Amino acid sequence: MPERPKALVVYLMCGPEAPALAEAAVEAGADIVELGFPFSDPLADGPVIRRAAERALAQGMRTGACLECLAATRERVDCPLVPMTYSSLLEAYGWERFAADAETAGATSLIVADLPAGDRPGLRRVQLVAPSSTDERLRLAAAETHGWLYLVTVTCTTGARSDLSPALAGLVERAREVTDLPLYAGFGISTPEHARAAAELVDGIVVGSRAVEVSEEGPAAVSRYVATLRSALDA
């Protein structure tokens, strides 16, 4: 049986330009688009995504507008769309209401960065685990995750780095022991070299901060960047 192609997840911040950026990313080889819902006090996001969130908030991208952005993106792409948000936004909007409205707008699942595994078990979401996760937490996250398990390669905020985290291999080994679901690695993955190295260990990668930086240059730049990652994963 041929090996399944490695998945490429591209993170983009919600905003007026996001649907066109997502379309460019998918046409260039992205398999999943993660749409960031800006939050004024993010815990997991580094400076690049924080600045993007501040710009989005200045553009009026509150939860309702982000859901509209999600729906507009869904009109242009048919890949899985995964909103990335924080529990405070869902608490304010209403957990069940948000889940229903996001699904209506085209979301495949959700990522709630600061919601621990085990909380809100009825919420269809991708779970995150890190090198610091206990074995018990890892098993719980793997049992509850939707579609794939998100491996955070480092226990710090997002951002491009020079080398792939050496902690990833150990985390992959532990995760493989508790789930057969695809494992996608993110945080600190930004270059084709990172993509190639990660593909030796996991089933897919998530690219965030660098994708957000490139997106500031428009859809054509996103297309070129994503194509380099796709080529690296397929090599």
Side-chain angles (χ1 to χ4, degrees):
M1 181 180 295
E3 184 178 357
R4 181 169 52 189
K6 303 294 182 177
L8 174 55
V9 184
V10 174
Y11 175 100
L12 299 167
M13 183 63 66
C14 279
E17 68 288 347
L21 295 170
E23 185 175 33
V26 172
E27 289 178 349
D31 300 292
I32 299 172
V33 173
E34 186 182 334
L35 283 176
F37 281 38
F39 183 48
S40 59
D41 190 25
L43 299 177
D45 294 327
V48 170
I49 294 181
R50 283 175 180 266
R51 287 193 297 269
E54 290 169 359
R55 289 193 296 271
L57 290 170
Q59 292 172 322
M61 296 305 296
R62 303 302 188 265
T63 303
C66 289
L67 289 168
E68 292 174 1
C69 176
L70 172 63
T73 303
R74 171 52 71 212
E75 291 178 356
R76 300 180 72 153
V77 302
D78 60 5
C79 73
L81 295 177
V82 183
M84 200 292 284
T85 186
Y86 285 86
S87 57
S88 293
L89 295 181
L90 275 66
E91 186 72 37
Y93 191 86
W95 291 91
E96 293 181 0
R97 178 188 173 206
F98 183 90
D101 288 355
E103 183 176 3
T104 298
T108 309
S109 58
L110 308 172
I111 294 174
V112 187
D114 58 346
L115 187 66
D119 289 6
R120 300 279 172 178
L123 192 67
R124 187 172 64 186
R125 61 188 176 104
V126 175
Q127 301 279 356
L128 293 87
V129 295
S132 59
S133 298
T134 64
D135 289 343
E136 180 182 3
R137 181 66 62 181
L138 192 58
R139 283 192 295 271
L140 180 60
E144 293 188 352
T145 199
H146 181 265
W148 47 282
L149 188 63
Y150 193 147
L151 306 188
V152 176
T153 66
V154 290
T155 51
C156 56
T157 59
T158 59
R161 291 171 172 81
S162 58
D163 299 304
L164 189 66
S165 170
L168 177 59
L171 180 58
V172 170
E173 183 177 359
R174 294 171 61 211
R176 296 284 188 207
E177 293 178 354
V178 298
T179 184
D180 293 327
L181 287 172
L183 307 178
Y184 299 170
F187 283 52
I189 296 176
S190 60
T191 68
E193 291 73 25
H194 292 160
R196 246 187 312 269
E200 296 293 323
L201 300 170
V202 294
D203 306 299
I205 63 167
V206 184
V207 179
S209 294
R210 183 57 185 152
V212 169
E213 285 183 323
V214 172
S215 70
E216 297 174 9
E217 303 172 27
V222 168
S223 180
R224 290 191 297 270
Y225 174 62
V226 171
T228 66
L229 298 173
R230 183 73 268 166
S231 294
L233 290 174
D234 292 345

